[in-house]
Amino acid sequence: VRRTIVDEALAYLERLERESGAEDVTLRLELAAAYRRIGAILGDPQRPNLGDRDAAIAQYERGRALAIAAAAVTSHFDATVSIVDADLALATLYNQKKQGELSNARTREAADVAARYAKDHPADAGAAKLVARANFQLAWSLPAEQAVPVWEQTLAYYENELKKAPASPEAQRNVALIAKYLGSTFENLQRDDLAAPQY
């Protein structure tokens, strides 16, 4: 039943995409989000899915292409988020398929797109959060020495968020999690003196 619904939804989205004008940025971003949702139903490992990773990748890539096209004509935050969301989902799926090069490329793109937006829009509060989210996944894909500054930058963001809301369980968890990963990275580099304070 779910597969039938997905097929019908895809047919509708494809028709809508063909009939929509390339200049309608809002519709392009809505279509990109819809393709990502279809991709999640098909193969997102973080939720119940139909187990079709190849089809999921195809839909995420379609969403990514639409988001990139939209970002070419607008600097709106939604376009940047759309690219980052697609890239991070694709990085996970490519990694599961043992396609490390593609996984790393999508992760790096997500981090670069987020960082570029943050640089161009320093007053946008959402930009720093997006950078932290992209950097979290980027740090996982890097060799230990290269990962350290990325983990440190990510930790600094979440520590700042914890200062704003010290009683927030989510903020506490995020700091603890990043500190643990940074400690583990130092441990892999045989720097127990730096790992211990993080742990």
Side-chain angles (χ1 to χ4, degrees):
V1 172
R2 294 179 77 194
R3 187 74 200 212
T4 300
I5 293 171
V6 165
D7 290 343
E8 291 175 354
L10 276 175
Y12 170 77
L13 290 173
E14 289 164 358
R15 187 168 64 251
L16 187 59
E17 184 180 352
R18 284 194 303 270
E19 295 170 356
S20 66
E23 69 284 351
D24 192 337
V25 174
T26 301
L27 180 57
R28 292 277 164 178
L29 290 175
E30 289 292 336
L31 284 167
Y35 282 127
R36 290 197 309 274
R37 285 193 289 272
I38 295 293
I41 293 168
L42 287 166
D44 183 348
Q46 305 301 321
R47 65 185 75 188
N49 65 83
L50 295 174
D52 192 342
R53 289 180 187 164
D54 290 334
I57 286 172
Q59 301 315 316
Y60 277 120
E61 288 286 7
R62 289 172 88 168
R64 172 179 169 270
L66 284 165
I68 289 173
V73 295
T74 181
S75 60
H76 197 280
F77 183 59
D78 288 349
T80 301
V81 172
S82 190
I83 296 171
V84 171
D85 284 346
D87 275 337
L88 295 182
L90 283 163
T92 298
L93 286 167
Y94 282 130
N95 185 56
Q96 289 193 337
K97 287 176 63 64
K98 310 298 183 191
Q99 293 177 285
E101 199 169 307
L102 280 170
S103 177
N104 291 342
R106 292 294 177 266
T107 304
R108 287 181 181 278
E109 181 179 73
D112 290 345
V113 167
R116 194 161 52 246
Y117 181 88
K119 182 180 178 182
D120 293 342
H121 303 83
D124 190 331
K129 183 176 183 178
L130 190 66
V131 169
R133 189 158 66 88
N135 279 350
F136 180 90
Q137 195 152 333
L138 176 64
W140 277 112
S141 70
L142 294 171
E145 287 186 3
Q146 295 176 33
V148 167
V150 181
W151 281 130
E152 289 176 335
Q153 181 185 352
T154 308
L155 180 60
Y157 168 79
Y158 285 115
E159 284 180 329
N160 187 53
E161 291 300 296
L162 181 59
K163 286 178 185 175
K164 296 177 189 173
S168 165
E170 181 182 358
Q172 293 169 357
R173 176 188 176 277
N174 287 337
V175 170
L177 195 62
I178 303 300
K180 181 184 79 169
Y181 291 143
L182 180 56
S184 177
T185 304
F186 280 132
E187 193 174 352
N188 289 338
L189 292 169
Q190 299 183 334
R191 290 299 309 271
D192 291 352
D193 58 319
L194 297 176
Q198 298 302 330
Y199 285 140

